[in-house]
Structure formats: C-alpha cells, structure tokens
Amino acid sequence: MPNVANCKKCGTLFLQTSKRDICDKCFEEQNKLVNEINSYVINANEPTIFLDDLLKKFNLKIDEFESLYLAGKFVKVSQKVTMKCAKCGNIVPIANKTNMLCSACAKKLQNEI
Ligand SMILES: [Zn+2]
Ligand SMILES: [Zn+2]
C-alpha cells in the first residue's frame, strides 16, 4: 500500500510510490537542476570549476549537492568540479574526495584510527 508522506523539500503531502522522499514536482525540479549543473560544467571554458562557485551560481546548499552527488548525479563532471580539502587545503576534484577530505587525508585519517 502506498504511503502518504511529507515532501522533504517543500513539505507538501504526496503519495510515496517509491523510496523517494520528495514530491514529483520537487523531483522534476531537482532533475532539471542536475541537468543544468552538468551541462554548465561540461560546457565551461575553464578546465576546472570550484565547487563553491558552482553552489553560489545555482543557489544550492553544500549538503544538497552532497546528497545528489552521493546519489550519483554528478559522476560525469566529478573530475572537473574541484573543492578544497578541509584538512590540507589542497584543491582536488570531487571525484577524489571522501566526505570533505581529499583521498590522501582520508587515507591518513583511516590509518590513524
Ligand atoms: Zn516537494
Ligand atoms: Zn587533504
């Protein structure tokens, strides 16, 4: 039996027919945004784009970006979008990071535990 749930994004009640926790309208908007971001990055003249600039341009929060990224929406552009490692400050492609750290720091941290 389908559930009625509150959309996690806009709060509207909607019929939950899958695991998705946002309504159809928000889902559509999200897909549109993902497509826009992907084509923006792919068509950009710069070799790399800083994640902060991308978020600012599309008015997106970092945790929204993260969850979309983890859902595999930005695989195509993950070598071109870069971020600053929270630990060493190196600029690395988001494809090479774990959480907010570059893969080198993430590895180091894992070895320390
Ligand atoms: Zn919604
Ligand atoms: Zn690092």
Side-chain angles (χ1 to χ4, degrees):
M1 219 180 97
N3 265 333
V4 176
N6 277 93
C7 169
K8 233 181 155 185
K9 241 178 138 84
C10 70
T12 314
L13 278 178
F14 73 107
L15 211 57
Q16 198 173 31
T17 48
S18 66
K19 284 240 171 71
R20 202 206 300 153
D21 51 12
I22 57 175
C23 69
D24 288 348
K25 200 170 152 254
C26 289
F27 184 68
E28 234 170 76
E29 266 167 34
Q30 195 179 65
N31 275 345
K32 223 174 106 197
L33 185 69
V34 167
N35 287 338
E36 270 174 37
I37 292 176
N38 276 322
S39 58
Y40 171 77
V41 174
I42 287 163
N43 295 322
N45 290 323
E46 298 92 337
T48 59
I49 295 184
F50 202 45
L51 178 58
D52 283 358
D53 295 336
L54 200 63
L55 297 180
K56 230 177 270 167
K57 185 167 173 59
F58 288 95
N59 203 8
L60 194 68
K61 284 195 208 77
I62 178 81
D63 43 332
E64 280 180 90
F65 182 88
E66 284 266 305
S67 65
L68 290 171
Y69 175 73
L70 291 173
K73 306 278 191 196
F74 298 116
V75 176
K76 273 186 278 183
V77 298
S78 61
Q79 289 291 345
K80 198 170 175 180
V81 178
T82 56
M83 61 160 294
K84 204 170 170 180
C85 169
K87 204 166 174 168
C88 68
N90 274 344
I91 307 290
V92 293
I94 55 171
N96 294 2
K97 71 165 190 72
T98 318
N99 297 323
M100 294 301 285
L101 301 175
C102 71
S103 51
C105 286
K107 211 180 268 172
K108 229 184 275 170
L109 203 70
Q110 221 164 36
N111 289 341
E112 278 166 20
I113 297 168

